[in-house]
Amino acid sequence: MRVSFIGYGSMAESLSSRWVGKHELFIAGRDPNKAQSLASRLAQGTKAGSPQEAVEFGEVIILATPHEAVFEALEASGGSNAFANKILLDINNPVEPSNGDYLTKSYHGVSLSEAIAAYSPKAKVVKAFNMCQAKVWQMQPPTFDGRLLVTLYCGDDAQAKRQVASLIEDVGSEPVDLGELKYARLLEAAAAIVIKLLFSGRNPYTVLNLIQPEIKPIS
Ligand SMILES: NC(=O)c1ccc[n+]([C@@H]2O[C@H](COP(=O)([O-])OP(=O)(O)OC[C@H]3O[C@@H](n4cnc5c(N)ncnc54)[C@H](OP(=O)(O)O)[C@@H]3O)[C@@H](O)[C@H]2O)c1
């Protein structure tokens, strides 16, 4: 898959490093030198460039900026129409870290993912990867108490969700489809629980995992 990142911070670095050699990657952001720096650290041949070039390149575009910057980044990447038929993967949490407040009011009462879908109605928006601290995505494999980390995702386009599910498998996690994009509000609220606990001083490997009795722990 051709996967582009807008942003080159902790989450972009953590996820992209797991997809090197499996997917074609493109790193972009406001500062071309910083984008190139991450691309060079990942692997020779990893592309870097402007946000607009990233959108042209990618089948999947990952928004990896602070949540407050998402719409500015979308505008700088070409605006609403630039994302038509692209998979827009929203990993962002509209959460105030100091107290865990879930900031839906910033997005008129809907989840950030739904606000992104309203901004770019022809994009295929999928929410995933938002519930764990960046370091967790580097675990190989991500297991907790002998169970694989389950990554919940949601979206309205079945094909886009299948592609995101395969990206989840490529970090060694087990994808579980939560349903339509409206369930992004649950994923964002669940992430708020984790963020509140992490910012109270818990270990960064603290996660909310889904235990499925039908799937036995890894022996
Ligand atoms: N860190 C985590 O553990 C974690 C876990 C799950 C989800 N998330 C979510 O993932 C998102 C990214 O988090 P992160 O920890 O990777 O953040 P980060 O390390 O602070 O990186 C944010 C990136 O966004 C760029 N950026 C800032 N403003 C921008 C703008 N207006 N346009 C384009 N790029 C901009 C920054 O670079 P410049 O300032 O140089 O432009 C930087 O590369 C957040 O929404 C967060 O809620 C984070």
Side-chain angles (χ1 to χ4, degrees):
M1 246 179 275
R2 293 190 309 280
V3 181
S4 294
F5 288 85
I6 312 290
Y8 32 65
S10 311
M11 283 293 280
E13 179 148 17
S14 195
L15 290 171
S16 61
S17 68
R18 299 303 310 282
W19 294 328
V20 166
K22 297 176 180 153
H23 300 285
E24 291 180 74
L25 304 175
F26 193 114
I27 310 297
R30 293 190 293 192
D31 182 337
N33 293 327
K34 289 191 203 168
Q36 183 57 60
S37 169
L38 174 56
S40 304
R41 289 199 300 281
L42 288 170
Q44 212 177 11
T46 302
K47 295 179 177 59
S50 70
Q52 293 201 7
E53 289 167 332
V55 175
E56 280 163 30
F57 175 85
E59 300 166 71
V60 180
I61 319 295
I62 303 187
L63 301 169
T65 70
H67 77 89
E68 306 93 323
V70 159
F71 290 97
E72 189 184 324
L74 289 167
E75 281 291 304
S77 304
S80 166
N81 290 333
F83 296 92
N85 300 317
K86 303 276 184 182
I87 299 172
L88 255 182
L89 179 48
D90 173 28
I91 63 169
N92 303 283
N93 289 313
V95 175
E96 169 53 46
S98 63
N99 56 13
D101 278 359
Y102 177 28
L103 306 170
T104 48
K105 281 193 186 132
S106 314
Y107 303 106
H108 310 292
V110 298
S111 64
L112 175 57
S113 301
E114 292 169 288
I116 292 169
Y119 168 87
S120 188
K122 291 185 183 152
K124 302 165 190 172
V125 180
V126 179
K127 185 109 200 169
F129 295 107
N130 69 310
M131 278 179 54
C132 299
Q133 215 273 354
K135 290 177 198 285
V136 171
W137 305 115
Q138 302 225 294
M139 294 171 71
Q140 300 192 37
T143 52
F144 294 86
D145 291 335
R147 292 177 185 273
L148 268 189
L149 174 70
V150 168
T151 298
L152 297 165
Y153 63 98
C154 65
D156 291 334
D157 185 279
Q159 175 59 27
K161 287 204 286 188
R162 276 194 289 279
Q163 287 182 249
V164 170
S166 84
L167 289 173
I168 293 168
E169 287 169 346
D170 287 339
V171 301
S173 178
E174 185 182 327
V176 170
D177 184 356
L178 191 59
E180 299 97 306
L181 194 66
K182 66 182 182 182
Y183 294 110
R185 63 193 71 176
L186 302 185
L187 296 185
E188 293 172 4
I193 297 171
V194 179
I195 291 166
K196 185 172 194 311
L197 293 172
L198 294 181
F199 277 83
S200 308
R202 296 213 176 221
N203 184 297
Y205 296 93
T206 301
V207 298
L208 285 180
N209 203 9
L210 188 74
I211 294 179
Q212 305 166 94
E214 65 273 32
I215 299 180
K216 301 287 175 224
I218 300 161
S219 51

